[in-house]
Amino acid sequence: KKRRARLEARRRAMPAKRGSTETNAAVPAAGSGAFTQTDLNAMVAGIAAGTVSATLLNPIQAVRYHCWGRDDRTVLVAAREMFASGRIRPFTKGVVATVLRDSLFGGYFTFARKRLSAEAAQRRSSASSSASSSDLASAAPPERSEFAATVLAGMMAAALSAPMNFVRNMQFSSSPSEPGPSIPRVFRNLYARTAAVRRSKGTRASVQYAFARMNIGWGTMRVGLGMAVGALLYEALNASAHSYLEAKTSVPQLKGLPVKTTTTTATTAARRTNSAQKEDA
């Protein structure tokens, strides 16, 4: 009888345990290795933002690139020269590479920043539950972890989008009257030059050459720091704007006003009750 009772209790407990396991597997915890819906939303938002900004700003970037190396060439002069040489073509040159670069950067940056911030918050919460008060006082503040996560995400996104940035620069450097080189052609030329450097100077020199051509290094760190500082300023200004608007829209309450409002509300309710009773009578 005891054995039968134990088996019956075990059989009853199995469906509940299986259901709880399926429920936990269906909703991954934030900061875990699973790709969640929040990560997908962040990536799609970053890709959309990068695509729109690249499409709108590519003509301005083309004119700015055309001004480099000439001190006597203003923006209007460069735009006139580009229009006279190729009409609309110089202003749309490199738009595909720019869209690919900015969509890669935006999508991966938003995904990596949110994921790294979530993991940092999860580590802080797990450490705070088991650490003492002295350890919590010496721990890094959340703002520092957020800044470090933004720097790291910006550096990784810049390194990922560096090849398309190189393609865009090569297309911008071509003559305004001629179509720019295609993306496969730019990569073939880079591979041929890198292979030539490897044959003459070795593998390490070829890697350094490829990184220098794609501006991976100090430029990558500059982008990461710039994104972190920009995000910090945005959040600070956003908080200040919200505080200012809340202070402007809030109505200061005078002394006695809540009591008067309560009395008026009670008097109105009593009058309505009396009226209803009279109608019923």
Side-chain angles (χ1 to χ4, degrees), residues 28-29 31-36 39 111 115:
S32 61
F35 188 82
T36 61
D39 298 331
F111 160 72
R115 174 56 66 91

Side-chain angles (χ1 to χ4, degrees), residues 107-122:
Y108 189 79
F109 173 75
T110 51
F111 160 72
R113 183 172 183 251
K114 185 171 288 294
R115 174 56 66 91
L116 292 174
S117 301
E119 290 180 355
Q122 187 177 9

Side-chain angles (χ1 to χ4, degrees), residues 138-173:
S138 60
E143 293 80 7
R144 190 178 301 176
S145 301
E146 188 77 18
F147 187 84
T150 307
V151 171
L152 186 58
M155 291 176 62
M156 292 188 296
L160 181 65
S161 60
M164 300 312 303
N165 184 61
F166 174 74
V167 172
R168 187 198 71 145
N169 292 337
M170 292 297 101
Q171 292 178 348
F172 280 169
S173 63

Side-chain angles (χ1 to χ4, degrees), residues 145-210:
S145 301
E146 188 77 18
F147 187 84
T150 307
V151 171
L152 186 58
M155 291 176 62
M156 292 188 296
L160 181 65
S161 60
M164 300 312 303
N165 184 61
F166 174 74
V167 172
R168 187 198 71 145
N169 292 337
M170 292 297 101
Q171 292 178 348
F172 280 169
S173 63
S174 60
S175 176
S177 59
E178 299 177 357
S182 62
I183 296 177
R185 181 182 175 185
V186 173
F187 283 138
R188 285 196 300 266
N189 293 337
L190 178 63
Y191 176 78
R193 294 177 182 178
T194 305
V197 174
R198 183 177 60 83
R199 287 192 298 268
S200 60
K201 298 182 180 180
T203 305
R204 183 177 180 181
S206 64
V207 173
Q208 291 178 351
Y209 173 80

